[in-house]
Amino acid sequence: FYFDIVITMEKLAAWVTFFAIFLAFSGGFMSYHRDLQENASSSTPSSGIRFHVIGDFGRFSDDPTKDSVYTVANVMEKAASLNSIDFILSMGDNFYDPDGLQSTSDPRIETMFNTTFNRPHLRVPWYLVLGNHDCYGNPNVDLELHNVVPQWNMPQRYYTQTFSIDNEKKAL
């Protein structure tokens, strides 16, 4: 995946939404997953970045192995095991609940990173943004997780992340 221009989070969110709708209605995700398994390459490109995009995944039950997000995490792990990724980009709604997160000791945080997404190939940096459901409680808790959970990167409500691609710095 190569960036030739600066992509704003709003543009990226619009693109990801379009792509998700396309995949949902075309059966493309399962086709993509089959193609990924069949065409996995042992060679990694010398340049560029690879990443997963996820959003609206923050609903966890008492048994996370029965949640649909657990299945998504399994597919993400399989894809990342075939083609390593550099990071995961979350488009928001990291935690659903009428009350949102209230503290950094919320048990859903433990479920998210130590059960659902605790996979060898998903232990990469996560770059997250707030969604509307994240703002129902105390959205500052999401910001505080930047200092509590090693993978969690959300230093402030609005931020820019810069990556080096082909020896050039590009912002995301």
Side-chain angles (χ1 to χ4, degrees):
F1 199 102
Y2 298 92
F3 291 101
D4 292 323
I5 59 171
V6 173
I7 297 177
T8 65
M9 295 307 274
E10 293 83 14
K11 287 180 185 174
L12 186 59
W15 181 85
V16 168
T17 301
F18 169 78
F19 188 66
I21 291 169
F22 170 77
L23 290 177
F25 287 103
S26 70
F29 181 73
M30 293 314 291
S31 169
Y32 165 77
H33 187 249
R34 271 193 306 280
D35 290 345
L36 185 65
Q37 289 176 315
E38 293 169 5
N39 300 318
S41 170
S42 61
S43 64
T44 302
S46 59
S47 62
I49 56 174
R50 290 184 176 175
F51 58 96
H52 287 324
V53 178
I54 189 170
D56 295 288
F57 65 94
R59 189 178 313 265
F60 301 96
S61 67
D62 292 337
D63 183 359
T65 62
K66 294 183 179 173
D67 291 335
S68 59
V69 72
Y70 195 82
T71 303
V72 171
N74 284 336
V75 173
M76 289 172 65
E77 169 64 14
K78 179 65 175 177
S81 73
L82 297 172
N83 290 298
S84 65
I85 58 173
D86 298 299
F87 61 89
I88 296 171
L89 179 64
S90 169
M91 301 310 297
D93 291 347
N94 309 307
F95 295 98
Y96 280 97
D97 193 291
D99 300 325
L101 287 179
Q102 299 301 319
S103 77
T104 57
S105 61
D106 189 302
R108 292 174 292 173
I109 299 164
E110 175 80 15
T111 298
M112 179 180 174
F113 280 104
N114 291 331
T115 303
T116 305
F117 291 102
N118 186 12
R119 319 295 170 103
H121 297 93
L122 301 182
R123 293 184 191 127
V124 295
W126 285 58
Y127 299 99
L128 303 101
V129 297
L130 294 170
N132 63 312
H133 289 272
D134 300 312
C135 294
Y136 290 158
N138 179 357
N140 290 326
V141 173
D142 286 75
L143 301 177
E144 291 169 22
L145 288 174
H146 180 75
N147 298 314
V148 176
V149 178
Q151 303 100 302
W152 191 278
N153 291 284
M154 188 190 310
Q156 49 195 355
R157 285 181 184 238
Y158 306 98
Y159 65 97
T160 300
Q161 181 62 42
T162 303
F163 298 94
S164 182
I165 305 170
D166 294 335
N167 297 321
E168 294 182 36
K169 293 195 177 204
K170 303 292 180 179
L172 173 65

